[in-house]
Amino acid sequence: MSINYAKHYQSCVDKVKDEGRYRIFATLERIVGNFPKANYYQPDGSVKEVTVWCSNDYLGMGQHPKVIQAAKEASDKSGAGAGGTRNISGTMKYHVELEESVADLHKKEAALVFSSGYVANEGALSTLGKLLPEAAVFSDELNHASMIHGIRGSQQQKFIYRHNDLEHLEELLKSVDIKRPKIIAFESVYSMEGDIAPIKEICDLADKYNAMTYLDEVHAVGLYGPRGGGVAEMRGLMDRIDVIEGTFGKAYGVMGGYIAGKASIIDAVRCYASGFIFTTSHTPATLAACRASVEHLKESNVERQKSRDNVAHFKGLLEAARLPYLHGESHIVPLIVGEPTCCKEVTDILLSDFNIYVQPINYPTVPRGTERMRMTATAAHSFEDIDYLVQTLQDLWECNHLLRAAVA
């Protein structure tokens, strides 16, 4: 009897559709100088301009003239590709310069660039865990999928503590022999909640219980701290973090990930992490663009201040409108809908009727019953953009009975 493989996989897709969490990608065309506006290519072939409200390009650096020029110059000088993995002909001066820039950003001895933030977390955490005999890894329950993947790949015992719950973390740390190697893995800004970890207190527990600290700053680098070093820099805590992981794909506006720390730790990951060893290297243009963005934001505070002003204005209007958003400390604004079909319906209405593009966030990214719209007021948005969005949301909240029922 033959197996109908296509039919089987279609049934898997149909299950996602039945649960109301099937994703349809919007085809967008970003236009230099016009962000956060973009051309939206509709299913019927027509094109219209929309305002993007779910971008991770928090500071608009993907459009910055310095970043674009650096990419152009690197392509003109060195071509389109790297020609191999880092181990085999793929290490260029652009890598070295970018890693030196990132190490300087975080005041660490060394840094290592990966193809993405996901690969950086998976590669670093799996490697660091594997190389520590009988290690215990302590992970916040809301850590990103890439961190979960890395911790699982370490094949070491893991302990999951309740989100930002210091008492629970200490309780778990106490349960493990003080002499046993430990890693506490956590994020600074949690992207689906919009809140920030108690970094100092976690570092205090790490000192008390003989643990190393691994901090994911992907949603914070470039955006927080006087030079964009993240929340740890803003709070004067970078020296207390053993490994800082970041990305170039969010506030820096390009792509790629990295880790920074003591030279011996970074070198160990370089030698053992499969995700680093066997991946083709970034292009010269990408690396040069990343470095230009990092260096610019070490000096410029204009973009960060504009972001802070926009976020404050956005949250103030949401508060006045009594819309149910999560009141975190960060720039990320999750607006809770609470039901997947309704969440998708609302975002469809926003796009089709009001030219506002925001993706619904459903399970498994967030727990069932907490479906939401994750919105970001970037440095490139205007107050007029923000006013229009909040007024539109308020009107939908008042007029759409499905939405009212979902949040009741």
Side-chain angles (χ1 to χ4, degrees):
M1 178 178 175
S2 63
I3 301 172
N4 190 328
Y5 293 102
K7 184 176 180 180
H8 168 77
Y9 289 115
Q10 184 60 53
S11 70
C12 296
V13 174
D14 290 342
K15 181 181 178 183
V16 175
K17 289 182 177 180
D18 291 341
E19 293 176 356
R21 56 187 184 91
Y22 181 74
R23 290 179 171 91
I24 297 174
F25 297 154
T27 302
L28 302 175
E29 180 183 28
R30 284 160 55 106
I31 307 298
V32 172
N34 201 34
F35 181 73
K37 312 295 183 185
N39 289 333
Y40 166 49
Y41 287 77
Q42 301 181 84
D44 64 4
S46 61
V47 181
K48 70 174 182 176
E49 185 178 88
V50 299
T51 303
V52 180
W53 277 99
C54 52
S55 175
N56 289 335
D57 190 356
Y58 299 134
L59 300 177
M61 291 302 294
Q63 307 273 305
H64 198 283
K66 286 184 182 178
V67 176
I68 295 170
Q69 185 61 31
K72 288 179 179 177
E73 291 177 358
S75 290
D76 289 343
K77 187 174 182 179
S78 298
T85 65
R86 288 290 298 275
N87 285 1
I88 305 175
S89 82
T91 294
M92 301 170 288
K93 76 179 187 72
Y94 301 106
H95 287 99
V96 176
E97 290 170 350
L98 179 56
E99 288 168 348
E100 289 174 348
S101 176
V102 168
D104 168 72
L105 173 67
H106 294 294
K107 302 301 180 187
K108 299 297 185 185
E109 293 177 358
L112 192 67
V113 170
F114 289 78
S115 57
S116 71
Y118 190 107
V119 176
N121 268 335
E122 187 281 323
L125 282 168
S126 62
T127 300
L128 293 171
K130 282 179 182 176
L131 296 179
L132 279 176
E134 297 185 28
V137 185
F138 299 81
S139 174
D140 187 289
E141 68 176 340
L142 295 187
N143 276 344
H144 191 265
S146 58
M147 300 177 77
I148 296 169
H149 187 180
I151 292 166
R152 185 182 299 121
S154 73
Q155 300 178 344
Q156 301 285 19
Q157 186 178 16
K158 65 180 178 182
F159 297 82
I160 300 172
Y161 63 92
R162 291 186 292 271
H163 179 53
N164 283 344
D165 189 329
L166 295 168
E167 290 185 5
H168 190 217
L169 174 58
E170 182 163 23
E171 179 185 324
L172 294 174
L173 287 164
K174 280 181 180 178
S175 71
V176 177
D177 190 326
I178 190 68
K179 296 179 182 178
R180 188 174 168 190
K182 305 172 192 70
I183 300 171
I184 303 175
F186 61 109
E187 302 181 35
S188 57
V189 176
Y190 285 86
S191 66
M192 291 302 151
E193 306 298 309
D195 58 357
I196 296 177
I199 300 175
K200 177 185 179 299
E201 291 77 6
I202 291 175
C203 289
D204 291 342
L205 290 176
D207 291 344
K208 183 176 179 180
Y209 292 98
N210 194 29
M212 68 179 289
T213 48
Y214 182 101
L215 177 62
D216 177 317
E217 288 257 41
V218 296
H219 288 278
V221 289
L223 197 53
Y224 295 86
R227 298 202 312 155
V231 178
E233 183 193 28
M234 181 178 72
R235 296 182 177 177
L237 298 168
M238 284 197 300
D239 62 320
R240 300 191 64 188
I241 304 296
D242 293 299
V243 179
I244 292 176
E245 186 265 350
T247 184
F248 305 112
K250 294 182 171 55
Y252 290 122
V254 195
M255 69 170 294
Y258 65 85
I259 57 171
K262 287 190 178 297
S264 58
I265 296 174
I266 302 305
D267 205 24
V269 174
R270 183 185 70 87
C271 291
Y272 286 90
S274 296
F276 173 81
I277 294 170
F278 298 106
T279 297
T280 297
S281 171
H282 269 318
T283 69
T286 300
L287 296 164
C290 290
R291 183 174 181 273
S293 188
V294 172
E295 289 298 313
H296 174 79
L297 289 174
K298 284 180 183 178
E299 304 294 332
S300 175
N301 197 45
V302 173
E303 296 82 4
R304 283 188 284 273
Q305 186 58 54
K306 185 65 167 73
S307 171
R308 287 192 291 269
D309 292 344
N310 281 349
V311 171
H313 184 62
F314 187 24
K315 289 184 176 180
L317 292 180
L318 290 172
E319 190 75 26
R322 301 182 66 186
L323 291 169
Y325 76 99
L326 298 182
H327 295 66
E329 300 174 68
S330 80
H331 59 287
I332 294 170
V333 179
L335 187 66
I336 301 298
V337 177
E339 198 280 327
T341 303
C342 182
C343 194
K344 178 67 166 59
E345 180 181 343
V346 171
T347 57
D348 285 347
I349 293 171
L350 287 171
L351 183 58
S352 63
D353 296 355
F354 300 98
N355 301 330
I356 292 170
Y357 174 61
V358 56
Q359 271 291 88
I361 305 295
N362 295 330
Y363 177 85
T365 306
V366 295
R368 298 181 195 275
T370 69
E371 289 80 8
R372 65 199 66 181
M373 292 179 281
R374 174 193 175 275
M375 297 176 290
T376 52
T378 73
H381 284 89
S382 67
F383 273 20
E384 290 75 18
D385 291 330
I386 298 168
D387 295 345
Y388 178 66
L389 171 65
V390 175
Q391 185 59 61
T392 303
L393 289 171
Q394 189 172 13
D395 292 344
L396 283 176
W397 228 262
E398 292 171 355
C399 299
N400 190 308
H401 71 279
L402 285 176
L403 187 53
R404 285 204 307 273
V407 299

